[in-house]
Amino acid sequence: MAARGKPAKVGLLRQPRGDAVRAAAPAAVLLPPAFRAWFRSRGWAPREHQLALLDKTARRRSTLLIAPTGSGKTLAGFLPSLVALAVRAEHDAQGAAQRARKRGERGLHTLYISPLKALAVDVARNLLTPLEQMQLPIRVETRTGDTSVSRKQRQRLSPPDILLTTPEQIALLLSHPDAVRLFSRLDTVILDELHALSPTKRGDLLALDLARLQTLAPGHVRIGLSATVARPSELRAYLQPQPDAAAMQLADLVQVAGGAQPEIGMLETQAPLPWAGHSARYAVPEIFAAIKAHHLSLVFVNTRSQAELLFQELWRVNDDNLPIALHHGSLDANRRRKVEAAMAAGTLKAVVATSTLDLGIDWGDVDLVINVGAPKGASRLIQRVGRANHRLDEPSRAVLVPGNRFEVLECRAAIDAALAGAQDAVHNRTGALDVLAQHV
């Protein structure tokens, strides 16, 4: 979503090579009056890349948006669907007698696919705010592994306008006999954090899902949202069907420049570093002091056992009784939702988390990221650092805490690579056959 509490700055739009030079139409043409009034009420102006995506989808052009953290990337991805659904609702209101029948016949309009359950829930929370403020009759629901069986059944019988879900849930929905009814009128698919999904087996599963959706709804348009990547053409090809192996098809590209340089350092401690181990117990007093000195900190670790251990160690030294929480995938869904709600409300001081929170979560109050242990790659480090100061014009701040002396070298290499803008994720890869067999 767009940056909170500050007027939005207009981003920069770069036309990709080979794309026709065409400036996006002005906001007065692309945005209905209710949307223009909502932007004005927030003290914002639509950014150029947000208008560009509206223009691209109006021409039914699948598009990859590459933008830095805090640039309004998620809002840009949803705007075309929100505008289309608002216009449809207005037309339905004019024919109120047939409205109920039409709603019964309609399937999903927009699929939002996220790599994380927490991200889908966070996006839903942020999306409901403008819908309520503009009083738009648009149904938005999430469908993840935490969703109840009864709700999942209801969603198949009476699908919402916008469904926020994960690749695994899409695969399950496509396996049902009523998939044709559910997806045949699909208009838009939004793929968030595409740079994190595509180079993994989950990305292979998602590619198979998209191929099936292309058969069921050949007219749908795809929007990819991504952080900076080394080779955008690979993600552009991922977004497009590839009927001819000899001629690669590429989606359009909208690229936003800018973003403040992150501030990444390594923890300075007087305690001797151990030769082995990954718990970083030696640094618990310094980690707690950093948490105490900041408003809200995210403490990332690499495994769930590390998360549990560090959480306990922090509470051992927490004589001030600071509200420090824990978040990882093995926790009960209700406990995770409570932690996420507390973070959104700003009532926590720190959260110890695994990769369940390292993508796209828009909590602007986070002012420090602490990564305990080696980050296992520059791309992953950049992604985690971006959770702090989730705004375009403010630098993200992070501290790395090596678990042992050998991880000092790995942390230093990751910091240098991140500051240089290096990317180490491999997107151009052959799909996994075990994923194909499972999907079939």
Side-chain angles (χ1 to χ4, degrees):
M1 304 294 281
R4 301 181 200 162
K6 295 187 178 183
K9 296 183 178 180
V10 176
L12 301 177
L13 173 63
R14 296 178 180 174
Q15 291 290 348
R17 183 177 298 180
D19 191 18
V21 178
R22 173 187 172 117
V29 176
L30 294 171
L31 287 175
F35 287 80
R36 299 199 300 272
W38 179 76
F39 272 98
R40 287 195 301 269
S41 70
R42 302 296 296 267
W44 295 348
R47 294 171 178 168
E48 192 172 346
H49 60 276
Q50 294 168 341
L51 297 177
L53 270 187
L54 279 168
D55 183 55
K56 297 281 190 184
T57 52
R59 294 186 284 135
R60 310 308 294 169
R61 302 282 296 180
S62 292
T63 305
L64 172 66
L65 171 61
I66 296 178
T69 295
S71 60
K73 186 168 48 186
T74 306
L75 179 59
F78 276 104
L79 263 182
S81 295
L82 297 180
V83 169
L85 288 168
V87 172
R88 190 178 77 176
E90 185 177 351
H91 291 166
D92 284 353
Q94 296 172 359
Q98 301 179 359
R99 184 175 181 180
R101 181 180 62 83
K102 286 183 178 181
R103 277 197 172 277
E105 292 176 355
R106 287 174 178 155
L108 288 168
H109 181 279
T110 297
L111 269 179
Y112 167 87
I113 303 175
S114 155
L116 297 179
K117 292 182 285 188
L119 179 55
V121 173
D122 179 65
V123 169
R125 181 168 51 239
N126 289 331
L127 193 57
L128 289 175
T129 300
L131 295 182
E132 293 171 355
Q133 291 173 345
M134 287 186 280
Q135 298 181 338
L136 297 177
I138 298 174
R139 278 179 58 202
V140 178
E141 295 186 13
T142 60
R143 183 186 181 98
T144 69
D146 297 334
T147 306
S148 66
V149 174
S150 60
R151 173 170 287 191
K152 288 180 179 179
Q153 292 175 341
R154 178 179 57 76
Q155 288 172 345
R156 287 172 52 202
L157 295 174
S158 177
D161 298 309
I162 300 175
L163 183 65
L164 293 79
T165 187
T166 60
E168 292 78 13
Q169 291 297 319
I170 296 296
L172 291 173
L173 284 172
L174 288 169
S175 69
H176 291 290
D178 59 355
V180 175
R181 178 188 62 82
L182 186 63
F183 292 111
S184 60
R185 300 193 182 192
L186 183 67
D187 183 87
T188 304
V189 176
I190 304 170
L191 307 171
D192 203 357
E193 306 293 348
L194 186 58
H195 61 287
L197 265 177
S198 64
T200 66
K201 284 190 175 183
R202 298 182 74 204
D204 298 340
L205 177 62
L206 178 57
L208 294 168
D209 295 341
L210 292 174
R212 179 64 175 150
L213 289 173
Q214 182 66 26
T215 301
L216 298 179
H220 79 269
V221 66
R222 299 172 186 171
I223 298 173
L225 307 178
S226 172
T228 302
V229 291
R231 293 177 294 276
S233 60
E234 295 175 352
L235 294 185
R236 294 171 67 188
Y238 187 96
L239 285 173
Q240 285 285 82
Q242 304 294 336
D244 185 359
M248 181 179 293
Q249 304 294 318
L250 298 180
D252 289 359
L253 175 66
V254 174
Q255 195 160 359
V256 181
Q261 181 81 349
E263 299 176 2
I264 311 173
M266 202 178 311
L267 183 72
E268 296 182 2
T269 176
Q270 299 298 321
L273 270 69
W275 286 100
H278 303 279
S279 64
R281 287 182 177 177
Y282 75 93
V284 168
E286 286 85 356
I287 294 174
F288 182 77
I291 290 173
K292 191 174 180 179
H294 290 81
H295 180 71
L296 175 58
S297 301
L298 277 178
V299 185
F300 284 112
V301 295
N302 292 326
T303 66
R304 295 170 183 174
S305 60
Q306 281 181 295
E308 293 279 357
L309 178 61
L310 182 60
F311 176 69
Q312 293 177 15
E313 292 297 325
L314 286 173
W315 270 100
R316 289 186 200 278
V317 299
N318 188 8
D319 296 331
D320 298 320
N321 203 30
L322 300 179
I324 300 175
L326 177 67
H327 192 288
H328 60 70
S330 294
L331 291 176
D332 177 71
N334 290 330
R335 290 187 62 185
R336 282 186 273 117
R337 295 292 91 82
K338 287 180 180 179
V339 172
E340 293 159 15
M343 283 197 69
T347 58
L348 292 179
K349 193 68 174 176
V351 177
V352 180
T354 58
S355 57
T356 53
L357 295 181
D358 67 0
L359 289 171
I361 308 296
D362 182 13
W363 290 317
D365 291 336
V366 176
D367 55 353
L368 180 67
V369 165
I370 303 173
N371 194 94
V372 178
K376 309 303 179 185
S379 297
R380 187 178 192 184
L381 174 60
I382 294 171
Q383 191 68 57
R384 288 183 167 182
V385 171
R387 298 313 99 222
N389 288 335
H390 203 269
R391 300 181 178 93
L392 184 63
D393 55 349
E394 294 184 14
S396 299
R397 294 178 176 85
V399 174
L400 270 61
V401 183
N404 55 62
R405 298 192 181 200
F406 296 101
E407 285 189 351
V408 172
L409 299 177
E410 191 173 346
C411 288
R412 174 50 58 191
I415 290 173
D416 293 343
L419 295 179
Q423 302 287 329
D424 51 18
V426 178
H427 299 276
N428 188 13
R429 55 190 292 276
T430 302
L433 293 180
D434 60 327
V435 177
L436 176 60
Q438 182 184 21
H439 189 77
V440 171

Coordinates of all heavy atoms in Angstrom, one line a residue, residues 340-421:
E340 N 0.1 -10.7 14.7 CA 0.0 -9.8 13.6 C -0.9 -8.6 13.9 O -0.5 -7.5 13.5 CB -0.5 -10.6 12.4 CG 0.5 -11.7 11.9 CD -0.2 -12.7 11.0 OE1 -1.4 -12.5 10.6 OE2 0.4 -13.8 10.8
A341 N -2.0 -8.8 14.6 CA -2.9 -7.7 14.9 C -2.2 -6.8 15.9 O -2.3 -5.6 15.8 CB -4.2 -8.3 15.5
A342 N -1.4 -7.3 16.9 CA -0.7 -6.5 17.8 C 0.3 -5.7 17.1 O 0.6 -4.5 17.5 CB -0.1 -7.3 18.9
M343 N 1.0 -6.2 16.1 CA 2.0 -5.5 15.4 C 1.4 -4.3 14.6 O 1.9 -3.2 14.6 CB 2.8 -6.4 14.4 CG 3.8 -7.3 15.1 SD 5.0 -8.0 13.9 CE 5.8 -6.5 13.4
A344 N 0.2 -4.7 14.0 CA -0.5 -3.6 13.2 C -0.9 -2.5 14.1 O -1.0 -1.3 13.7 CB -1.6 -4.2 12.4
A345 N -1.3 -2.9 15.4 CA -1.8 -1.9 16.3 C -0.7 -1.1 17.0 O -0.9 -0.1 17.7 CB -2.7 -2.5 17.4
G346 N 0.6 -1.6 16.8 CA 1.7 -0.9 17.4 C 1.9 -1.1 18.9 O 2.5 -0.3 19.6
T347 N 1.4 -2.3 19.4 CA 1.5 -2.5 20.9 C 2.6 -3.4 21.3 O 2.8 -3.8 22.4 CB 0.1 -3.2 21.3 OG1 -0.1 -4.4 20.6 CG2 -1.0 -2.2 21.1
L348 N 3.4 -3.9 20.3 CA 4.6 -4.7 20.6 C 5.9 -3.9 20.5 O 6.0 -2.9 19.8 CB 4.6 -5.9 19.6 CG 3.5 -6.9 19.7 CD1 3.7 -8.0 18.7 CD2 3.4 -7.6 21.1
K349 N 6.9 -4.5 21.1 CA 8.2 -3.9 21.1 C 9.1 -4.7 20.1 O 10.0 -4.1 19.5 CB 8.8 -3.9 22.5 CG 10.1 -3.0 22.6 CD 9.8 -1.5 22.5 CE 11.0 -0.7 22.8 NZ 10.8 0.7 22.6
A350 N 8.9 -6.0 20.0 CA 9.7 -6.8 19.1 C 8.9 -8.1 18.8 O 8.1 -8.5 19.6 CB 11.0 -7.1 19.7
V351 N 9.3 -8.7 17.7 CA 8.8 -10.0 17.3 C 9.9 -10.8 16.8 O 10.7 -10.4 15.9 CB 7.7 -9.9 16.2 CG1 7.2 -11.3 15.8 CG2 6.5 -9.1 16.7
V352 N 10.1 -12.0 17.4 CA 11.1 -13.0 16.9 C 10.4 -13.9 15.9 O 9.3 -14.5 16.2 CB 11.6 -13.8 18.1 CG1 12.6 -14.8 17.5 CG2 12.2 -12.9 19.1
A353 N 10.9 -13.9 14.7 CA 10.2 -14.6 13.6 C 11.1 -15.3 12.7 O 12.3 -15.1 12.6 CB 9.4 -13.5 12.8
T354 N 10.6 -16.3 12.0 CA 11.3 -17.0 10.9 C 10.9 -16.3 9.6 O 10.5 -15.2 9.5 CB 10.9 -18.5 10.9 OG1 9.5 -18.6 10.7 CG2 11.3 -19.1 12.2
S355 N 11.0 -17.1 8.5 CA 10.6 -16.5 7.2 C 9.1 -16.2 7.0 O 8.7 -15.7 6.0 CB 11.1 -17.5 6.1 OG 10.5 -18.7 6.2
T356 N 8.3 -16.5 8.0 CA 6.9 -16.2 7.9 C 6.6 -14.7 7.8 O 5.4 -14.4 7.5 CB 6.1 -16.8 9.2 OG1 6.8 -16.3 10.4 CG2 6.2 -18.3 9.2
L357 N 7.5 -13.9 8.2 CA 7.3 -12.4 8.1 C 8.3 -11.7 7.2 O 8.3 -10.5 7.3 CB 7.3 -11.8 9.5 CG 6.2 -12.3 10.5 CD1 6.4 -11.5 11.8 CD2 4.8 -12.0 10.0
D358 N 9.0 -12.4 6.4 CA 10.1 -11.7 5.7 C 9.8 -11.2 4.3 O 10.6 -10.8 3.6 CB 11.4 -12.5 5.7 CG 11.3 -13.8 4.8 OD1 10.2 -14.0 4.2 OD2 12.3 -14.5 4.7
L359 N 8.5 -11.2 4.0 CA 8.1 -10.8 2.6 C 6.9 -9.8 2.7 O 5.9 -10.1 3.2 CB 7.7 -12.0 1.7 CG 8.8 -12.9 1.3 CD1 8.1 -14.1 0.6 CD2 9.7 -12.2 0.3
G360 N 7.1 -8.6 2.3 CA 6.1 -7.7 1.9 C 5.2 -7.1 3.0 O 4.3 -6.3 2.7
I361 N 5.3 -7.6 4.3 CA 4.4 -7.1 5.3 C 4.6 -5.6 5.5 O 5.7 -5.1 5.7 CB 4.7 -7.8 6.6 CG1 4.7 -9.4 6.4 CG2 3.7 -7.5 7.7 CD1 3.4 -9.9 6.0
D362 N 3.5 -4.9 5.4 CA 3.5 -3.4 5.5 C 3.2 -2.9 6.9 O 2.1 -2.6 7.2 CB 2.5 -2.9 4.5 CG 2.5 -1.4 4.4 OD1 3.4 -0.8 4.9 OD2 1.6 -0.8 3.8
W363 N 4.2 -3.0 7.7 CA 4.1 -2.4 9.1 C 5.1 -1.3 9.2 O 6.2 -1.5 9.5 CB 4.3 -3.5 10.2 CG 3.2 -4.5 10.2 CD1 1.9 -4.2 10.2 CD2 3.3 -5.9 10.3 NE1 1.1 -5.4 10.3 CE2 2.0 -6.4 10.4 CE3 4.4 -6.8 10.5 CZ2 1.7 -7.8 10.5 CZ3 4.1 -8.1 10.6 CH2 2.8 -8.6 10.6
G364 N 4.6 -0.1 8.9 CA 5.5 1.1 8.8 C 6.1 1.4 10.1 O 7.1 2.2 10.1
D365 N 5.7 0.9 11.3 CA 6.3 1.3 12.6 C 7.5 0.5 12.9 O 8.2 0.8 13.8 CB 5.2 1.0 13.7 CG 4.1 2.0 13.7 OD1 4.3 3.1 13.1 OD2 3.0 1.7 14.2
V366 N 7.8 -0.5 12.1 CA 9.1 -1.3 12.3 C 10.2 -0.4 11.9 O 10.3 0.1 10.8 CB 9.1 -2.6 11.4 CG1 10.4 -3.3 11.6 CG2 8.0 -3.5 11.8
D367 N 11.1 -0.1 12.9 CA 12.3 0.8 12.6 C 13.6 0.1 12.7 O 14.7 0.7 12.4 CB 12.3 2.0 13.5 CG 12.2 1.7 14.9 OD1 12.1 0.5 15.3 OD2 12.3 2.6 15.8
L368 N 13.6 -1.3 13.0 CA 14.9 -2.0 13.0 C 14.6 -3.5 12.7 O 13.7 -4.1 13.2 CB 15.5 -1.9 14.4 CG 16.9 -2.6 14.5 CD1 18.0 -2.0 13.7 CD2 17.3 -2.6 16.0
V369 N 15.5 -4.0 11.9 CA 15.5 -5.5 11.6 C 16.8 -6.0 12.2 O 17.9 -5.5 11.9 CB 15.4 -5.8 10.1 CG1 15.8 -7.2 9.8 CG2 14.0 -5.5 9.6
I370 N 16.7 -7.1 13.0 CA 17.9 -7.8 13.5 C 17.9 -9.2 12.9 O 16.9 -9.9 13.1 CB 17.8 -7.8 15.0 CG1 17.7 -6.4 15.6 CG2 19.0 -8.5 15.6 CD1 17.5 -6.4 17.1
N371 N 18.9 -9.5 12.2 CA 19.0 -10.8 11.6 C 20.0 -11.6 12.4 O 21.2 -11.3 12.3 CB 19.4 -10.7 10.1 CG 19.2 -12.0 9.4 OD1 18.1 -12.2 8.8 ND2 20.1 -13.0 9.4
V372 N 19.6 -12.6 13.1 CA 20.4 -13.5 13.9 C 20.9 -14.7 13.0 O 20.1 -15.5 12.6 CB 19.7 -14.0 15.2 CG1 20.6 -14.9 16.0 CG2 19.3 -12.7 16.0
G373 N 22.2 -14.8 12.9 CA 22.7 -15.9 12.0 C 23.0 -15.3 10.6 O 22.6 -14.2 10.3
A374 N 23.7 -16.1 9.8 CA 24.0 -15.7 8.4 C 22.7 -15.7 7.7 O 21.8 -16.6 7.8 CB 25.0 -16.7 7.8
P375 N 22.5 -14.7 6.8 CA 21.2 -14.5 6.1 C 21.0 -15.5 4.9 O 19.9 -15.5 4.3 CB 21.2 -13.1 5.6 CG 22.7 -12.8 5.5 CD 23.4 -13.5 6.6
K376 N 22.0 -16.3 4.6 CA 21.9 -17.3 3.5 C 21.6 -16.6 2.1 O 20.8 -17.2 1.4 CB 20.9 -18.3 3.8 CG 21.0 -18.9 5.2 CD 22.4 -19.6 5.4 CE 22.5 -20.2 6.8 NZ 23.9 -20.7 7.1
G377 N 22.2 -15.5 1.8 CA 22.1 -14.9 0.5 C 21.8 -13.4 0.6 O 21.1 -13.0 1.5
A378 N 22.3 -12.7 -0.4 CA 22.1 -11.3 -0.5 C 20.6 -10.9 -0.7 O 20.1 -10.0 -0.2 CB 23.0 -10.6 -1.5
S379 N 20.0 -11.7 -1.6 CA 18.6 -11.4 -2.0 C 17.7 -11.5 -0.8 O 16.8 -10.7 -0.5 CB 18.1 -12.3 -3.1 OG 18.8 -12.1 -4.3
R380 N 17.9 -12.6 0.0 CA 17.1 -12.8 1.2 C 17.4 -11.7 2.2 O 16.4 -11.2 2.9 CB 17.4 -14.1 1.8 CG 16.5 -14.5 3.0 CD 16.8 -15.9 3.5 NE 15.8 -16.4 4.4 CZ 15.9 -17.6 5.0 NH1 17.0 -18.3 4.9 NH2 14.9 -18.0 5.8
L381 N 18.6 -11.3 2.4 CA 18.9 -10.2 3.3 C 18.2 -8.9 2.9 O 17.6 -8.2 3.7 CB 20.4 -10.0 3.4 CG 20.9 -8.8 4.2 CD1 20.4 -8.9 5.7 CD2 22.4 -8.6 4.2
I382 N 18.3 -8.5 1.6 CA 17.6 -7.3 1.1 C 16.1 -7.4 1.4 O 15.5 -6.4 1.8 CB 17.9 -7.1 -0.4 CG1 19.4 -6.9 -0.6 CG2 17.1 -6.0 -0.9 CD1 19.8 -6.9 -2.1
Q383 N 15.5 -8.6 1.2 CA 14.1 -8.7 1.5 C 13.8 -8.5 2.9 O 12.8 -7.8 3.2 CB 13.7 -10.1 1.0 CG 12.2 -10.3 1.0 CD 11.5 -9.5 -0.1 OE1 11.9 -9.7 -1.3 NE2 10.6 -8.6 0.2
R384 N 14.6 -9.0 3.8 CA 14.3 -8.9 5.2 C 14.5 -7.4 5.7 O 13.8 -6.9 6.5 CB 15.1 -9.9 6.0 CG 14.7 -11.3 5.9 CD 15.5 -12.2 6.8 NE 14.8 -13.5 6.9 CZ 15.3 -14.6 7.6 NH1 16.4 -14.4 8.3 NH2 14.6 -15.7 7.6
V385 N 15.6 -6.8 5.2 CA 15.9 -5.5 5.6 C 14.8 -4.5 5.2 O 14.4 -3.6 5.9 CB 17.2 -5.0 5.0 CG1 17.4 -3.5 5.2 CG2 18.4 -5.8 5.6
G386 N 14.1 -4.8 4.1 CA 13.0 -4.0 3.6 C 11.8 -3.9 4.5 O 10.9 -3.1 4.3
R387 N 11.7 -4.8 5.5 CA 10.6 -4.8 6.4 C 10.7 -3.6 7.4 O 9.7 -3.2 8.0 CB 10.5 -6.0 7.3 CG 10.4 -7.3 6.6 CD 9.3 -7.3 5.5 NE 9.8 -7.1 4.2 CZ 9.3 -6.4 3.3 NH1 8.2 -5.7 3.5 NH2 9.9 -6.3 2.1
A388 N 11.9 -2.9 7.5 CA 12.0 -1.8 8.4 C 11.8 -0.5 7.6 O 12.2 -0.4 6.4 CB 13.4 -1.8 9.0
N389 N 11.1 0.4 8.2 CA 10.8 1.7 7.6 C 10.2 1.5 6.2 O 10.8 1.9 5.2 CB 12.0 2.6 7.5 CG 12.4 3.2 8.9 OD1 11.5 3.3 9.8 ND2 13.7 3.5 9.1
H390 N 9.1 0.9 6.1 CA 8.4 0.5 4.9 C 7.9 1.7 4.1 O 6.7 1.8 3.8 CB 7.3 -0.5 5.2 CG 6.9 -1.4 4.1 ND1 6.0 -1.1 3.1 CD2 7.4 -2.6 3.7 CE1 5.8 -2.1 2.3 NE2 6.7 -3.0 2.6
R391 N 8.9 2.6 3.8 CA 8.5 3.8 3.1 C 9.6 4.1 2.1 O 10.7 3.7 2.2 CB 8.4 5.0 4.1 CG 7.3 4.8 5.1 CD 7.2 6.0 6.0 NE 6.1 5.8 7.0 CZ 6.3 5.3 8.2 NH1 7.5 4.9 8.6 NH2 5.3 5.1 9.1
L392 N 9.2 4.7 1.0 CA 10.1 4.9 -0.2 C 11.2 5.9 0.2 O 12.4 5.6 -0.3 CB 9.3 5.5 -1.3 CG 10.0 5.7 -2.7 CD1 10.5 4.3 -3.2 CD2 9.1 6.3 -3.7
D393 N 11.0 6.9 1.0 CA 12.0 7.9 1.2 C 12.8 7.8 2.5 O 13.5 8.7 2.8 CB 11.3 9.3 1.1 CG 10.2 9.5 2.1 OD1 9.8 8.4 2.7 OD2 9.7 10.6 2.3
E394 N 12.7 6.7 3.2 CA 13.4 6.5 4.4 C 14.2 5.3 4.3 O 13.8 4.2 3.9 CB 12.4 6.4 5.6 CG 11.6 7.7 5.9 CD 10.8 7.6 7.1 OE1 11.0 6.6 7.9 OE2 9.9 8.5 7.3
P395 N 15.5 5.3 4.8 CA 16.3 4.1 4.7 C 15.9 3.0 5.7 O 15.5 3.3 6.8 CB 17.7 4.6 5.1 CG 17.4 5.8 5.9 CD 16.2 6.5 5.4
S396 N 15.9 1.8 5.3 CA 15.7 0.7 6.1 C 17.0 0.4 6.9 O 18.1 0.5 6.4 CB 15.3 -0.6 5.3 OG 14.2 -0.4 4.6
R397 N 16.8 0.1 8.2 CA 18.0 -0.1 9.1 C 18.0 -1.6 9.6 O 16.9 -2.1 10.0 CB 17.9 0.8 10.3 CG 18.1 2.3 9.9 CD 18.0 3.2 11.0 NE 18.3 4.6 10.6 CZ 17.4 5.4 10.1 NH1 16.1 5.0 10.0 NH2 17.7 6.7 9.8
A398 N 19.1 -2.2 9.6 CA 19.3 -3.6 10.0 C 20.6 -3.8 10.6 O 21.6 -3.1 10.4 CB 19.1 -4.5 8.8
V399 N 20.6 -4.8 11.5 CA 21.8 -5.2 12.2 C 21.9 -6.8 12.0 O 20.9 -7.5 12.3 CB 21.8 -4.9 13.7 CG1 23.0 -5.5 14.4 CG2 21.8 -3.4 13.9
L400 N 23.1 -7.2 11.6 CA 23.3 -8.7 11.5 C 24.1 -9.2 12.7 O 25.1 -8.5 13.2 CB 24.1 -9.0 10.3 CG 23.3 -9.3 9.0 CD1 22.5 -8.0 8.6 CD2 24.2 -9.7 7.8
V401 N 23.7 -10.3 13.3 CA 24.3 -10.9 14.4 C 24.8 -12.3 14.0 O 24.0 -13.2 14.0 CB 23.3 -11.0 15.6 CG1 24.0 -11.6 16.8 CG2 22.6 -9.7 15.9
P402 N 26.1 -12.4 13.8 CA 26.6 -13.8 13.4 C 26.6 -14.7 14.6 O 26.8 -14.4 15.8 CB 28.1 -13.5 13.1 CG 28.4 -12.2 13.7 CD 27.1 -11.4 13.8
G403 N 26.2 -16.0 14.3 CA 26.1 -17.0 15.4 C 27.4 -17.5 15.8 O 27.5 -18.0 17.0
N404 N 28.4 -17.4 15.0 CA 29.8 -17.9 15.4 C 30.8 -17.1 14.5 O 30.4 -16.3 13.7 CB 29.9 -19.4 15.2 CG 29.5 -19.8 13.7 OD1 30.2 -19.4 12.8 ND2 28.5 -20.6 13.6
R405 N 32.1 -17.4 14.7 CA 33.1 -16.7 14.1 C 33.1 -16.9 12.5 O 33.4 -15.9 11.8 CB 34.5 -17.1 14.6 CG 34.6 -16.8 16.1 CD 36.0 -16.9 16.6 NE 36.1 -16.6 18.1 CZ 37.2 -16.2 18.7 NH1 38.3 -16.1 18.0 NH2 37.1 -16.0 20.0
F406 N 32.8 -18.1 12.1 CA 32.8 -18.3 10.6 C 31.6 -17.5 10.0 O 31.7 -17.1 8.8 CB 32.6 -19.8 10.4 CG 33.8 -20.6 10.9 CD1 33.7 -21.3 12.0 CD2 35.0 -20.6 10.1 CE1 34.8 -22.0 12.5 CE2 36.1 -21.3 10.6 CZ 36.0 -22.0 11.8
E407 N 30.5 -17.3 10.7 CA 29.4 -16.6 10.1 C 29.7 -15.1 10.0 O 29.0 -14.4 9.3 CB 28.1 -16.8 10.9 CG 27.5 -18.1 10.7 CD 26.1 -18.3 11.4 OE1 25.8 -17.3 12.1 OE2 25.4 -19.3 11.1
V408 N 30.8 -14.6 10.7 CA 31.2 -13.2 10.5 C 31.5 -12.9 9.0 O 31.1 -11.9 8.5 CB 32.4 -12.9 11.4 CG1 32.9 -11.5 11.1 CG2 31.9 -13.0 12.9
L409 N 32.3 -13.9 8.4 CA 32.6 -13.7 7.0 C 31.4 -13.7 6.1 O 31.3 -12.9 5.2 CB 33.6 -14.8 6.6 CG 34.9 -14.9 7.4 CD1 35.7 -16.1 6.9 CD2 35.7 -13.6 7.2
E410 N 30.5 -14.6 6.4 CA 29.3 -14.7 5.5 C 28.4 -13.5 5.7 O 27.9 -13.0 4.7 CB 28.5 -16.0 5.9 CG 27.4 -16.3 4.9 CD 26.7 -17.6 5.2 OE1 27.3 -18.4 6.0 OE2 25.7 -17.9 4.7
C411 N 28.3 -13.0 6.9 CA 27.5 -11.8 7.2 C 28.1 -10.6 6.4 O 27.4 -9.8 5.8 CB 27.4 -11.5 8.6 SG 26.3 -12.6 9.5
R412 N 29.5 -10.5 6.5 CA 30.1 -9.3 5.9 C 30.0 -9.4 4.4 O 29.7 -8.4 3.7 CB 31.6 -9.4 6.3 CG 32.5 -8.3 5.5 CD 31.9 -6.9 5.6 NE 31.7 -6.5 7.0 CZ 31.0 -5.4 7.3 NH1 30.4 -4.7 6.4 NH2 30.9 -5.0 8.6
A413 N 30.1 -10.6 3.8 CA 29.9 -10.8 2.3 C 28.4 -10.4 1.9 O 28.2 -9.7 0.9 CB 30.2 -12.2 1.9
A414 N 27.5 -10.8 2.8 CA 26.1 -10.5 2.5 C 25.8 -9.0 2.6 O 25.1 -8.4 1.7 CB 25.2 -11.3 3.4
I415 N 26.4 -8.3 3.5 CA 26.2 -6.9 3.7 C 26.8 -6.2 2.5 O 26.2 -5.3 1.9 CB 26.9 -6.4 5.0 CG1 26.1 -6.9 6.2 CG2 27.0 -4.8 5.0 CD1 26.8 -6.6 7.5
D416 N 28.0 -6.5 2.1 CA 28.6 -5.9 0.9 C 27.8 -6.1 -0.4 O 27.6 -5.2 -1.2 CB 30.1 -6.4 0.7 CG 31.0 -6.0 1.9 OD1 30.6 -5.1 2.6 OD2 32.1 -6.6 2.0
A417 N 27.3 -7.3 -0.5 CA 26.5 -7.6 -1.7 C 25.2 -6.9 -1.7 O 24.8 -6.4 -2.7 CB 26.3 -9.1 -1.8
A418 N 24.6 -6.8 -0.5 CA 23.3 -6.1 -0.4 C 23.5 -4.6 -0.7 O 22.7 -4.0 -1.5 CB 22.7 -6.3 0.9
L419 N 24.5 -4.0 -0.2 CA 24.7 -2.6 -0.4 C 25.1 -2.3 -1.9 O 24.9 -1.2 -2.4 CB 25.8 -2.0 0.5 CG 25.5 -2.1 2.0 CD1 26.7 -1.6 2.8 CD2 24.3 -1.2 2.3
A420 N 25.7 -3.3 -2.6 CA 26.1 -3.1 -4.0 C 24.9 -3.5 -4.9 O 25.0 -3.3 -6.1 CB 27.2 -4.1 -4.3
G421 N 23.8 -3.9 -4.3 CA 22.6 -4.2 -5.1 C 22.7 -5.5 -5.8 O 21.9 -5.8 -6.8

